[in-house]
Amino acid sequence: MTENSSQPTAPTSELPTQYAPADVEGALYERWVERGYFEADAKSDKPPFTVVIPPPNVTGSLHLGHAFEHTLIDALTRRKRMQGYETLWQPGMDHAGIATQNVVERELAKEGKSRHDLGREAFIERVWQWKGESGGQISGQMRRLGDGVAWSRERFTMDEGLSQAVQTIFKRLYEDELIYRAERIINWCPRCLTAISDIEVEYQDDDGELVSMTYGDGEDTIVVATTRAETMLGDTAVAVHPDDERYRHLIGRQIKLPLTDRSIPVVADAHVDPEFGTGAVKVTPAHDPNDFEIGQRHDLPSLAVMNERAVITVPGPFEGLDRLEARSAIVAALRAEGRIVAEKRPYTHSVGHCSRCKTTIEPRLSLQWWVKVAPLAKAAGDAVRDGRVKIHPQEMEKRYFDWVDNLHDWCISRQLWWGHRIPVWYGPAGEVVCVGPDEEPPTGEGWHQETDVLDTWFSSGLWPFSTLGWPEQTESLAKFYPNSVLVTGYDILFFWVARMMMFGLYAMDGTPPFHTIALHGMVRDQFGKKMSKSFGNAVNPLDWMDKYGSDALRFTLARGANPGVDVPIGEDWVQGSRNFANKIWNATRFALMNGATVEGPLPSPEEMSSTDRWILSRLNRTVAEVDAFYEDYQFAKLSESLFHFAWDEVFDWYVELSKTTFFAGGEQARVSGRVLGEVLDVMLRLLHPVVPFVTDTLWTTLTGGESLVIADWPADSSFRDEAAEREIALVQQVVTEVRRFRSDQGLQPGQKVPARLSLDGTALAPHEAAIRQLLRLQPEGEGFHATASLPVAGATVALDLSGTIDVAAERKRLTKDLGAAEKEVAQANAKLGNEAFLAKAPDQVVAKIRTRLSTAEAEIARITGQLAALPQS
């Protein structure tokens, strides 16, 4: 077993009769923080264990996804702390550029102002003011959940140290020619007026229109189709496949572009699928990423036809129209010219929307700053391929490689005011100067700084090392980098994780930012549906914590956490976890009232009963099992193992089997009290990382120790007693079989029945008193008449059911059930004996019939035994 962190004493106080989480959790958490349990010492000689929090947006609040992820990370770090590691769970928040700017702009709008009314500096000052007053409410919610983070180390991606890290790595990448400025197609939000990253684009199926129209005239006519007719104003070619015989005569020819005074070429490009549609596509290089690539290959001009608000800028009848207004007007004009050959409405297709404001994204050619990702992405792929970084579960590796092996250059500039301003200055003669954190920017007439800021993912990609003081070579960086594990959702594997890998390997001389990437799924409702306010199924985790306690929510989330798999959750399940916390509380209260103690050495096996030896053997198997599951990030399995050990084996079996011993008193009661104290001590330690509040309260009461947070993690003592395990398994078999028989006879659980137990010569003999107690079996007494006899586990239990059941009615019911089971067996055997059926039926159908046959045969055996045990009338 384990030693307590502090010298154990007798229980310090009596426990209240009921567990009230609201009376415990808040004060207990503050005590943990005040005592500095969660802080990490870079000077410690303990081995390090480091995890960073995926930094939540400063605008955000705790949702179930956060609660889920934080529960898993907290469980890992609490266990490692108990195992003797210098544990750092690094907290902090992301400045969330576009989201935060939108929030503050909405606040300004209520005052009838815009950011332009304030100017850049005053607006940024207003954002900092908002951050101080309203931002970061998630910190308080993390405390409610029990997050064991090092609060003194809390960081913000816009604080001075992290800003220095951003400027440093930008300068290095720029000088290594891995950052450049160029015109490319980007995702553009006409509402937020900025480029946005791929992860900020949400795709959904929208009803639009697919319009097929003719370009050119006479023999030069060619049909193209589009869902964005307004972009035709910017077409600079039509592309066909070079091997498509239908259009070979047109390749290289100029054809008329309708509604304009321009002619455009027909080009041959292998990107075109000749089997799709007409095999000809319009090419708009300034408004489509694929068209841009075609344009580059064929040296086509790129004509922008919309401004930043998606308003048409081409002189003529459509100028000044919004893109949707222009779409309808252009289709009408083409129809008037007889150029529409087909229209499909509605045409459902996937359309990108801004995740912040839900506006439809407009692909747009724009001059932006980019990261050349090829060498960085290769390094990120190699680190996983050569085993320096493990992805868990391993099957997620393929998705990771599919992403990093095919990365396009990354657009890092955003047309915002809130964020890290790009550290580049432009001079009056076209000079471009990148300025590092310790350098003075150029001054003088005509010099000005780039107005764009960096993508939020740029700074969060530095999170594993910038939070530790990089670029300074700090003690914390030396101690806690690389991180031990990253726990995050598979949904941002491609975005945040890949960027951390690229930047960590680049900045830290080839050392990856973490040893293991442990990926989890998404939280869904109990029916497996995505949680969303629009679906009406979103849940505020604070509501469930208020109602059932934080431990209940945590245990429910951990119990559903299979690696890389989505997690369904419903309120009934949280209520069940609350019941589990109550069970732990009530059972521990009973144990304390009946002599459970950790005082003194553990008795020798020779002094213990077989029941004592059984529970200690099962305890050690559970320790080993939980350890193995933790190392494999199997949170659901370790939670399930702990649940069944605590509820089933400790509370429902060991405590119940030991009641007669405790009630009898004496030396054996003292021995069992010490064993029960040991079991509870270790069990509470095992449970603590997942359900910290109730376990710490109970453990300090049981042991007198300071806190479970700093207690030792249990070690498997290697004690096993297979003979005792077999013996108690026989007891469990007898009790289970007789309980089932009692239930089948309609007896109430508390109804006492006279019984004769023939246990002599079996391993069950020492347990007669406990068996009678568990089964409510009275001594046989005078006039005992055995009306039912149950042979089980080598013993016989004879029951006197005189006057307790209607034998004739029971025999009639059982005979009817027996007939139904026999009919099921006959039908299953008939199908399984039919060769023609077996040859045609799917394997799963045959397997289902075999299962039905096996179940029915077992039912026949059970009913036959019950009929035989009934009194003879």
Side-chain angles (χ1 to χ4, degrees), residues 522-540:
M522 313 302 292
V523 177
R524 297 181 177 272
D525 71 12
Q526 60 192 20
F527 305 107
K529 191 174 182 180
K530 180 181 177 180
M531 285 192 171
S532 166
K533 290 181 180 178
S534 60
F535 295 154
N537 63 352
V539 174
N540 183 345

Side-chain angles (χ1 to χ4, degrees), residues 634-872:
Q634 297 280 358
F635 296 97
K637 290 182 179 179
L638 71 89
S639 299
E640 201 69 14
S641 175
L642 287 170
F643 174 84
H644 288 295
F645 175 72
W647 193 305
D648 299 345
E649 297 189 295
V650 178
F651 304 146
D652 281 359
W653 284 108
Y654 180 72
V655 170
E656 293 299 322
L657 286 170
S658 301
K659 277 183 177 178
T660 53
T661 300
F662 290 132
F663 295 161
E667 177 60 18
Q668 192 55 54
R670 184 196 68 79
V671 169
S672 293
R674 179 64 185 88
V675 170
L676 180 54
E678 181 76 9
V679 170
L680 290 175
D681 176 12
V682 175
M683 182 195 76
L684 291 170
R685 294 175 196 247
L686 291 173
L687 281 164
H688 175 73
V690 181
V691 284
F693 293 106
V694 66
T695 52
D696 197 49
T697 305
L698 293 172
W699 185 84
T700 52
T701 303
L702 171 70
T703 68
E706 182 181 339
S707 174
L708 261 180
V709 179
I710 55 171
D712 293 336
W713 181 254
D716 177 2
S717 73
S718 75
F719 175 81
R720 303 286 190 277
D721 192 324
E722 294 186 2
E725 291 191 41
R726 288 193 297 271
E727 183 175 316
I728 301 304
L730 292 176
V731 175
Q732 292 172 324
Q733 184 181 348
V734 169
V735 172
T736 301
E737 289 294 325
V738 176
R739 277 178 175 167
R740 182 181 295 120
F741 178 78
R742 287 175 56 110
S743 176
D744 288 341
Q745 306 307 315
L747 298 177
Q748 296 300 314
Q751 189 172 350
K752 295 183 177 180
V753 177
R756 177 188 300 138
L757 274 61
S758 301
L759 308 178
D760 292 345
T762 73
L764 297 167
H767 303 284
E768 179 169 350
I771 291 172
R772 285 186 177 276
Q773 170 75 21
L774 288 168
L775 292 171
R776 305 294 190 268
L777 301 180
Q778 295 176 317
E780 49 193 283
E782 289 188 21
F784 176 81
H785 176 58
T787 59
S789 183
L790 300 175
V792 57
T796 302
V797 178
L799 305 173
D800 184 353
L801 302 178
S802 302
T804 61
I805 60 172
D806 183 336
V807 175
E810 186 62 18
R811 189 179 300 280
K812 182 177 180 181
R813 182 184 71 80
L814 290 172
T815 301
K816 181 180 178 182
D817 291 347
L818 179 63
E822 288 172 338
K823 182 178 180 181
E824 180 72 17
V825 167
Q827 290 175 341
N829 279 327
K831 288 184 177 180
L832 294 174
N834 185 333
E835 295 296 333
F837 170 78
L838 293 177
K840 295 180 180 178
D843 291 344
Q844 62 268 29
V845 172
V846 175
K848 188 174 181 179
I849 294 172
R850 293 189 192 281
T851 300
R852 283 169 48 195
L853 174 62
S854 176
T855 302
E857 289 175 339
E859 189 71 354
I860 288 173
R862 182 185 69 81
I863 296 171
T864 301
Q866 288 181 233
L867 284 167
L870 283 174
Q872 299 299 312

